[in-house]
Amino acid sequence: MAVLVTGGAGYIGSHMVLELLDAGEQVVILDNLSTGFRWAVPEAAALVVGDVGDQDLVSKVIEEHGVDSILHFAARIVVPESVTDPLGYYFNNTVKTRALIETAVRAGIKNFVFSSTAAVYGNADMPLLSEDMPLSPINPYGRSKLMSEWMLQDAHVAHGLRYAILRYFNVAGADPKGRSGQSTPQATHLIKVAAQAALGQRPYLDVFGTDYETSDGTCVRDYIQVNDLARAHLVALRSLREGGDCAVMNCGYGHGASVLEVVDVVKKVSGVDFEVRLSPRRPGDPAQLVAKVDRIRSLGWQPQHDNLMEIVDQALRWERTLMGRIAA
Ligand SMILES: NC(=O)c1ccc[n+]([C@@H]2O[C@H](COP(=O)([O-])OP(=O)(O)OC[C@H]3O[C@@H](n4cnc5c(N)ncnc54)[C@H](O)[C@@H]3O)[C@@H](O)[C@H]2O)c1
């Protein structure tokens, strides 16, 4: 049986594809290449260029490739953009996910793993966020994802579609073998942006807010390395295939680093003392987002890259690869 990876030409999806291929799975990718890259798709995976909302196409792909499980990464992911274009976000992330779930149910798909986000927790200022906390996303992106979670859970009850919902915290780093990385030029992820500043791709780095109630006043986030995250999906998929319970699971390391700590590590690893500008808080940034991770760990998931220096080194290497690609 094959696994269908939607958004498999994007940052996290492309690492997932590598992980699945390394594990001996057959993989078919569906991606409309809106933010993904054809070159991010390894030869061993089939790529279908198209939209997850295209039910005829998805049905055909499922039948032709003998798909039993769907890993659904395809989405738009930029929070400020979701505020200015909420209907675009609800269309792409929620309406099209509804279509995909319906196609999956009709085709008899057994397992569905969904990319959700810590953004569903909203402004919950707690030391550790657990999956059972009340959810109150504060932007359209988070709401577009929470509605998808609900649809999946309801489709499970009504139609038996088995699901794992993974709520990612801050995803970072790049494949240690150098096969993929975060390639979106306008990405807003702190570690990528800091790596770009270190390599002269940006003139300076903004730090938003230095008066939070944290050890150094800057926001604290739980950074999870992208291959570790991909392996969490593999573990969740195996559990579903073996009859394990459907579940909602945080994906992080259970400890955080502040913005200034990350900046220090990027300066140390790169050897570049790039300019840092201390700016006022941005609206909607909680002081601290750190995951409680007992659930995903209870499935046997063990991080292999829980080391900020290593993650930053991977990000810097990948940024250099991209610079070489542009120069060539
Ligand atoms: N990057 C993070 O830190 C983070 C954190 C939490 C959750 N997530 C979730 O992880 C998933 C992947 O994010 P990413 O960082 O890899 O983003 P990305 O933009 O690199 O990848 C998304 C991929 O989906 C494709 N896509 C988008 N809409 C599509 C559609 N309608 N049909 C077909 N393909 C479509 C894009 O072309 C792209 O290849 C998303 O669902 C996102 O919400 C990401």
Side-chain angles (χ1 to χ4, degrees), residues 6-314:
T6 76
Y11 171 42
I12 305 170
S14 63
H15 289 81
M16 185 73 241
V17 169
L18 293 169
E19 205 65 43
L20 286 164
L21 292 173
D22 288 350
E25 297 274 352
Q26 276 190 47
V27 180
V28 54
I29 295 168
L30 178 63
D31 198 300
N32 66 8
L33 302 181
S34 52
T35 56
F37 302 91
R38 196 181 280 274
W39 54 254
V41 174
E43 268 176 29
L47 170 66
V48 177
V49 178
D51 202 285
V52 294
D54 182 343
Q55 292 191 306
D56 290 342
L57 176 66
V58 176
S59 304
K60 200 168 136 225
V61 170
I62 290 172
E63 201 185 313
E64 280 180 1
H65 291 266
V67 171
D68 78 324
S69 303
I70 297 179
L71 306 190
H72 180 36
F73 293 87
R76 290 172 70 185
I77 69 156
V78 184
V79 170
E81 196 180 71
S82 81
V83 176
T84 54
D85 182 19
L87 300 180
Y89 268 68
Y90 290 128
F91 184 53
N92 198 61
N93 294 1
T94 313
V95 174
K96 289 182 181 178
T97 294
R98 194 212 76 87
L100 181 67
I101 294 171
E102 186 176 58
T103 313
V105 167
R106 283 194 192 139
I109 290 293
K110 296 195 169 44
N111 311 300
F112 197 108
V113 181
F114 176 61
S115 301
S116 191
T117 165
V120 298
Y121 295 113
N123 262 334
D125 254 341
M126 301 274 288
L128 283 182
L129 302 181
S130 82
E131 293 88 346
D132 296 328
M133 285 180 49
L135 303 172
S136 55
I138 55 166
N139 50 58
Y141 168 68
R143 286 192 275 267
S144 76
K145 289 285 179 173
L146 182 54
M147 285 192 275
S148 302
E149 290 194 6
W150 288 337
M151 288 191 292
L152 255 183
Q153 289 167 324
D154 291 340
H156 166 65
V157 173
H159 308 295
L161 178 65
R162 292 165 54 65
Y163 69 83
I165 291 168
L166 303 188
R167 292 184 184 148
Y168 316 161
F169 282 62
N170 285 54
V171 188
D175 177 50
K177 294 182 186 154
R179 297 170 295 179
S180 194
Q182 166 56 272
S183 309
T184 320
Q186 305 310 329
T188 51
H189 307 58
L190 174 64
I191 291 179
K192 178 175 176 89
V193 171
Q196 288 177 324
L199 297 178
Q201 304 288 295
R202 291 177 187 254
Y204 58 87
L205 177 82
D206 270 314
V207 171
F208 296 106
T210 52
D211 57 350
Y212 288 96
E213 282 183 29
T214 57
S215 57
D216 62 18
T218 62
C219 289
V220 170
R221 296 291 181 263
D222 187 341
Y223 294 92
I224 177 170
Q225 196 274 350
V226 61
N227 296 74
D228 276 344
L229 177 63
R231 263 185 314 96
H233 290 69
L234 205 54
V235 164
L237 176 62
R238 284 189 182 139
S239 166
L240 287 178
R241 281 178 169 163
E242 288 161 10
D245 290 338
C246 297
V248 180
M249 290 173 281
N250 285 338
C251 290
Y253 289 149
H255 57 83
S258 76
V259 175
L260 288 180
E261 282 167 352
V262 170
V263 169
D264 271 357
V265 173
V266 177
K267 286 188 173 185
K268 209 171 280 166
V269 176
S270 66
V272 181
D273 187 15
F274 53 88
E275 186 186 342
V276 173
R277 292 191 184 172
L278 304 181
S279 307
R281 292 182 183 199
R282 285 183 306 200
D285 275 342
Q288 172 155 323
L289 287 175
V290 179
K292 195 163 181 293
V293 288
D294 316 30
R295 281 197 194 167
I296 187 71
R297 279 182 174 271
S298 74
L299 296 185
W301 175 74
Q302 299 247 352
Q304 292 176 1
H305 306 281
D306 180 0
N307 179 314
L308 204 49
M309 301 268 280
E310 185 191 345
I311 293 173
V312 164
D313 185 51
Q314 293 167 359

